[in-house]
Every structure is written in structure tokens, then in C-alpha cells.
Amino acid sequence: MILGGSALLAGCSSAASTVQLAGAAPASLPVAPVPTVTPQPVSLVKAASPAIDPHGIVRKDLLERAHAALDTHGRKISKRDRMYLVDFQKFSGEDRLYEVDLEGGWVTAYRTSHGRGSDPAHSGFAQRFSNEMDSHMSSIGAFATAGASWGSQQGPNVLLDGLEYSNDRARERAIIIHGADYADPAFLAREGKLGRSYGCFSVSHADLAPLRERMGEGRLLFAMA
């Protein structure tokens, strides 16, 4: 009996560590900490637009004036994905017609001719500009591209509508963008400069194809001296 009681007491002793006795205060159980979650702020700011012309290909004042023209002539410029700029301060043998991607920021440069009346000495630099009939001069200011066309004399081309007093007779004067032999690389290599137009923005035949497709209708062309 004594041995049995000892065994029983030993059994109760081991059980006491896991079983709560009646009337005893409940044991304090460890409480796992509740993790706190910090709410992440939601940005309401739009992603920054890509920089336009990050390599500085186009002169700054020309780019600024063209952006202002987009706002001024917003009703006539229905497409804002790209615009076209002409820098008539530059020599005709240099790249001076620019396609500016307003969504991606990049710039593609081409050569273009100026009017013979703007450069009577054929120096390669345009010096005078006019909106008058038969002046054979280039015009400056904001134009809207008016779509691809075809003419009996110049073949495939892009029509232009002048939007300012300095060029609003562009359709009447047939001022267009077209390909010309005197704007081709072979002419430039031989003469050291491009030939002159009657006021049109003449380009090489090879360059006309992509320009004619991409200019389309309702995009800005801005020419500045």
C-alpha cells in the first residue's frame, strides 16, 4: 500500500504541472504580439514625362516657341504625339528639319531646302522670308499638316495650311513638303549645299517616304529663323 501510494503521489505530482486544480487562479498564458502593418502611401502624382530632346539637338528657343504654338493653335493642331520644326538659321547642307516625339522625347533630324527668293545669292543661308505670291521665298511660323497628297509636278507630297499672318497663303502659294533631286545626298556631295525651292520645304526622295507617312494630318510644323 505504501509503495502504491508513493506511486500515486508521484503520478499526481507529474500531473500537477499540466492540470489546474479546482479553485486555483488561472495561469497566465503568453500572448503572441499582433504585428502592426504600416499602410503604404498611395502616390497621386503622375509619372514624370520623358524629357523632350535630352541631347539638345534642337536649339532651345525654337523648341520653346514651338511648344507655345501648340497652345496658341490648339484647335487646328489635333494631334500632339509629335511635331516638326525647321531651323532656318542653319546652313542648308545641315540637318535642320526635326521630327520631335512628344511622347518619347527623341528627335530625328533631316535636311530641307529653302526658297530661292530667301537666298538670291545661293549662299546656303535663308535671309529673307515672305508670304507673298511669286516671291519664291520661304515662310516662317506655325503650319498644320494637311495630309498626304499627289501633284502633277512634284508627285507625292504633304499639304500644309499656314496658321499665321506670315504664312496663311501657303495653300494659295502651293507651299508643300515634297521630294527633290536638289535635296538628295548626291547633290549635296557635289555642290556642298542643297538647291533652292520656290518656297517649299523640299527634302530628299528617301526622306519624303517616312515623313509623308508620319506627318499625316493635324500636326504642327513650325519654321523659325
Side-chain angles (χ1 to χ4, degrees), residues 77-95:
I77 307 298
S78 59
K79 296 185 175 66
R80 303 295 184 94
D81 52 349
R82 50 188 173 267
M83 64 181 177
Y84 297 84
L85 313 181
V86 177
D87 185 353
F88 276 136
Q89 281 191 5
K90 299 185 75 174
F91 179 65
S92 69
E94 297 181 84
D95 293 337

Side-chain angles (χ1 to χ4, degrees), residues 67-152:
H67 276 290
L70 281 174
D71 296 330
T72 301
H73 303 288
R75 293 184 179 180
K76 300 289 181 68
I77 307 298
S78 59
K79 296 185 175 66
R80 303 295 184 94
D81 52 349
R82 50 188 173 267
M83 64 181 177
Y84 297 84
L85 313 181
V86 177
D87 185 353
F88 276 136
Q89 281 191 5
K90 299 185 75 174
F91 179 65
S92 69
E94 297 181 84
D95 293 337
R96 58 180 183 172
L97 165 60
Y98 308 102
E99 179 181 287
V100 181
D101 183 345
L102 296 172
E103 296 175 342
W106 51 261
V107 173
T108 304
Y110 304 89
R111 295 185 181 92
T112 188
S113 296
H114 52 251
R116 63 178 58 243
S118 293
D119 178 17
H122 201 187
S123 66
F125 290 94
Q127 300 168 347
R128 297 184 294 177
F129 303 91
S130 175
N131 192 32
E132 295 301 317
M133 292 291 296
D134 301 322
S135 67
H136 297 164
M137 295 187 194
S138 296
S139 297
I140 55 177
F143 300 79
T145 62
S149 185
W150 187 282
S152 58

Side-chain angles (χ1 to χ4, degrees), residues 8-219:
L8 179 60
L9 289 175
C12 291
S13 175
S14 63
S17 62
T18 57
V19 178
Q20 181 179 320
L21 299 178
S28 298
L29 299 177
V31 179
V34 178
T36 57
V37 179
T38 303
Q40 297 299 316
V42 177
S43 175
L44 299 179
V45 180
K46 291 178 115 179
S49 300
I52 303 298
D53 187 23
H55 302 294
I57 297 172
V58 184
R59 78 179 209 249
K60 186 177 179 182
D61 59 336
L62 174 54
L63 201 57
E64 290 174 347
R65 289 281 301 276
H67 276 290
L70 281 174
D71 296 330
T72 301
H73 303 288
R75 293 184 179 180
K76 300 289 181 68
I77 307 298
S78 59
K79 296 185 175 66
R80 303 295 184 94
D81 52 349
R82 50 188 173 267
M83 64 181 177
Y84 297 84
L85 313 181
V86 177
D87 185 353
F88 276 136
Q89 281 191 5
K90 299 185 75 174
F91 179 65
S92 69
E94 297 181 84
D95 293 337
R96 58 180 183 172
L97 165 60
Y98 308 102
E99 179 181 287
V100 181
D101 183 345
L102 296 172
E103 296 175 342
W106 51 261
V107 173
T108 304
Y110 304 89
R111 295 185 181 92
T112 188
S113 296
H114 52 251
R116 63 178 58 243
S118 293
D119 178 17
H122 201 187
S123 66
F125 290 94
Q127 300 168 347
R128 297 184 294 177
F129 303 91
S130 175
N131 192 32
E132 295 301 317
M133 292 291 296
D134 301 322
S135 67
H136 297 164
M137 295 187 194
S138 296
S139 297
I140 55 177
F143 300 79
T145 62
S149 185
W150 187 282
S152 58
Q153 292 186 347
Q154 307 298 348
N157 60 71
V158 180
L159 299 176
L160 296 172
D161 287 322
L163 304 180
E164 300 179 354
Y165 71 90
S166 58
N167 61 19
D168 59 6
R169 302 180 74 181
R171 281 290 191 110
E172 185 181 356
R173 295 179 61 209
I175 302 301
I176 58 177
I177 299 167
H178 66 82
D181 294 343
Y182 56 78
D184 280 340
F187 187 98
L188 176 60
R190 184 174 68 251
E191 302 293 333
K193 57 196 168 191
L194 299 190
R196 298 164 297 170
S197 68
Y198 278 2
C200 293
F201 299 91
S202 305
V203 298
S204 73
H205 292 289
D207 288 340
L208 178 65
L211 285 169
R212 188 169 181 257
E213 179 181 355
R214 292 178 60 76
M215 280 184 162
E217 186 175 355
R219 292 185 174 89

